[in-house]
Amino acid sequence: MKTLNIGLIGFGTIGSGVVKVLEEKKNELQQKTNCEFRIRAIADKDISSPRCVRVSKDVLTKDVHKILDDPEIDVVIELIGGIHPAKEFIINALKNKKDVITANKALLAEHGEELFKIAAENEREILFEASVCGGIPVIKTLRQNLFADKIESLSGIVNGTSNYILSKMEENDWEFEEALAQAKREGIAEADASLDTQGLDSRHKIVILARLIFNANIKLEDIFYQGIENIKLEDLRYAREFGYTIKLLAIAKSFKEGTGGVYVYPALISEKHLLSKVKGAFNALSLRGDVVGELFFYGKGAGMLPTASAVISDLAQIPTPHASRHTLIPLRAQAGTGTPHTQKTKLKIKKIDELEKSYYIRFLAVDQPGVLAAIAKILGEQGVSIASVVQKERKEKEIVPIVMMTHYAKEKSVQKALAEIDKLPIVKERLVVRIEE
Ligand code: HSE
């Protein structure tokens, strides 16, 4: 029986979940792997609060160097999140020849290239299944299983909080603020909920996936993102009338050779698409490979046990101390992580204003003769053709919603037209949402 000595940094919800599962499934995991996963030390600022699992006092420490400097520790699991000091701890662990498992999406999204380079220089691994979509095994699927495939497209709901908010708005006829307050009460949202609602968390996750999909060093700053704060209950209602729902999507798409698109934005998706059925805090990914065809993944993207499942799946991949390295991790596993093991693809990122799509546009405008004609004229001048218009509440001289669905149009033209329409004194507010076919 081999032994893998583990140092855990961060004994919060996920950390205690990992320890609990390792404890409860000790025999089962040993039988499956012929390896004992032994927690040698756990570092946390708080070592006195009760957790869901009991551990010996000898294992707990406030001093992270008891882990980083212990030559007996083979693998460090980092679960404190945030950039600093997590980054320094991981670098220190790699330089001390320890493999690293992390759930830290923000850190990998912002500093992944540097960290994977240090890992390669030290012939150590950084494994990160828990960083994207919690319990959904998407990282290993992209790194290993879909070895033969070129991923043509991936559209996902990768932020549970924003999906929870949109679902609650739809279900309960709530406005955004009410649904956000409920997400906070239920402890679903990040401490800074704007990370969820503004699309920043989704952006962190899609850049990690896109680097694997395109095998390219994609910069976080190159990814367009937009959140859901401007979506109103009435938008969800209008969308439903047209046969759609609204979801915050993270998208990675291959265009012609050497060009890819990576975006985060709220989108109208058909009620017939599986992604539209994903409600509450669940995550889902719809993926198309050129060999495998369509795949769909659904599951919990956060929470103690789903995330612990992902962390432990990484543990099973860490080579034991005297095993030859890379025997357990296929070559393709290095792809997309910024290591020198594979040649990186040069990828041109297609900017958002280069896209062509159909659009949902809602205006709030003064109800007076000629309003529709003025809006339609500007759209027409930019070559944007209207597919349908809805104006329900006719109240002379009052502010009323006008909703339009366009035919396929150039994003640049739509934005140009909207900038002109914004100047009309009769138009008081407007929202545009892309329609995802
Ligand atoms: N805030 C994240 C979400 C947590 O809502 O999906 C999981 O990464």
Side-chain angles (χ1 to χ4, degrees), residues 5 10 60 100-101 154 172-173 227 269 275 377 385 398 421:
N5 282 314
L60 289 170
V100 169
I101 294 173
L154 178 150
N172 300 345
D173 285 347
I269 53 173
L275 282 174
K377 180 168 175 279
S385 160
E398 280 188 30
I421 293 169

Side-chain angles (χ1 to χ4, degrees), residues 171-220:
E171 269 168 42
N172 300 345
D173 285 347
W174 284 348
E175 284 299 348
F176 171 81
E177 289 73 20
E178 291 172 272
L180 171 63
Q182 181 67 13
K184 285 184 180 170
R185 276 194 295 276
E186 295 214 3
I188 294 170
E190 298 274 333
D192 173 3
S194 67
L195 290 171
D196 297 304
T197 59
Q198 290 179 0
L200 290 155
D201 177 75
S202 297
R203 190 188 190 215
H204 284 148
K205 291 167 179 165
I206 196 67
V207 78
I208 293 172
L209 298 181
R211 285 172 188 157
L212 298 175
I213 286 172
F214 296 113
N215 187 29
N217 291 331
I218 301 166
K219 298 219 172 321
L220 185 65

Side-chain angles (χ1 to χ4, degrees), residues 361-364 374-375 378 414-432:
I361 311 173
R362 173 179 50 80
F363 300 99
L364 282 186
I375 292 173
I378 297 175
V414 172
Q415 296 301 349
K416 250 188 188 169
L418 291 177
E420 281 304 304
I421 293 169
D422 286 346
K423 291 183 198 153
L424 299 175
I426 44 168
V427 173
K428 303 298 173 196
E429 187 187 305
R430 59 94 178 153
L431 172 84
V432 59

Side-chain angles (χ1 to χ4, degrees), residues 11 19 23 51-56:
F11 198 31
V19 176
E23 195 62 41
R51 309 296 209 278
C52 63
V53 60
R54 288 173 76 88
V55 291
S56 146

